[in-house]
Each structure stands twice: as structure tokens, then as C-alpha cells.
Amino acid sequence: QVQLEESGGGSVQAGVSMRLSCAASGRIRNDYVVAWFRQAPGKERELLVARGWMGSQTYDADSVKGRFTIPRDSATNMIYLQMNILKHEDTAVYYCAVQTRPIIRTDPRQYAYWGQGTQVTVSS
């Protein structure tokens, strides 16, 4: 069992950086996948970035490639979403999630554990 809790959301201006945090409790196995999704009003939940917990496998959505990364600290079970050059279109509720299978999937239904979500609002 894994529990996730996001923090760090808020309202910012376009062009700035923001870092979201996701504190995980419970054991994240080495072959699990950790990820960040977002969901804007009227849109489906979108996988942004993902990585194997301890491996080299990564995923970056085209919409955030080069701007968002997913650092993690395995010693503290922290998952971060580093967001740079934020745009108004990045406004959404952001969720961290864990997939218990070793190959990254984009379907949110493949992710067993979810945080409660944190709102990010980017004004232009």
C-alpha cells in the first residue's frame, strides 16, 4: 500500500518556475513507476512526466518536454515535479501517481495509487 500527498501548488505568473512535492508513504518498489498527471477542466487526465523509481526509463509528454522534470529522492520517498517556464495553459489540478508495473503507461487507469491533487494556476 502506497499513500501519496501533493503539496506546493498555488497561483503564479507565466514564465516562472514552480516545484510540486509528493510525499509517499509505504514502500515504493524498485520496478514501480512514479508519475505526474494533470487535469484541466473539460479535459482528460494527462500524463506529463514519469520515471521508473530506480531505473532509467522516462516519459515526457510533448506539451511539457524540456520544461518539466520528475526528480525524486528514494531515501525520503519524495517525488517532485519541477516546472519551468510555466504557461497559462499549464493551469490544472496536478496529481502524483504510482504504477505498480515496470513499463510506463500513459493510461491513468494503470496507476494504482494517487494523491489528492493540487491546483496550479498560471496567469498571463
Side-chain angles (χ1 to χ4, degrees):
Q1 186 73 28
V2 177
Q3 293 183 330
L4 305 170
E5 183 175 2
E6 303 99 336
S7 62
S11 298
V12 297
Q13 295 182 350
V16 305
S17 296
M18 175 179 284
R19 184 175 67 252
L20 305 182
S21 299
C22 176
S25 61
R27 185 170 186 268
I28 302 178
R29 297 180 64 91
N30 289 349
D31 60 349
Y32 283 5
V33 166
V34 295
W36 286 91
F37 289 77
R38 70 184 178 193
Q39 188 164 24
K43 295 187 176 181
E44 66 182 7
R45 194 163 296 189
E46 174 191 17
L47 176 63
L48 303 174
V49 290
R51 65 166 295 161
W53 182 242
M54 294 298 293
S56 60
Q57 183 184 201
T58 61
Y59 172 89
D60 302 284
D62 288 342
S63 59
V64 301
K65 192 179 296 292
R67 297 190 298 123
F68 289 14
T69 58
I70 183 170
R72 62 95 176 88
D73 188 339
S74 61
T76 57
N77 267 16
M78 292 294 296
I79 307 159
Y80 303 98
L81 179 62
Q82 180 64 46
M83 302 182 289
N84 299 325
I85 319 176
L86 281 164
K87 305 174 181 179
H88 178 65
E89 64 193 47
D90 294 322
T91 296
V93 177
Y94 284 72
Y95 301 88
C96 61
V98 172
Q99 178 187 280
T100 58
R101 300 171 67 183
I103 305 301
I104 294 173
R105 304 296 185 188
T106 60
D107 187 347
R109 293 175 296 180
Q110 298 297 318
Y111 289 77
Y113 304 109
W114 292 86
Q116 79 285 355
T118 186
Q119 176 73 44
V120 172
T121 301
V122 184
S123 62
S124 59

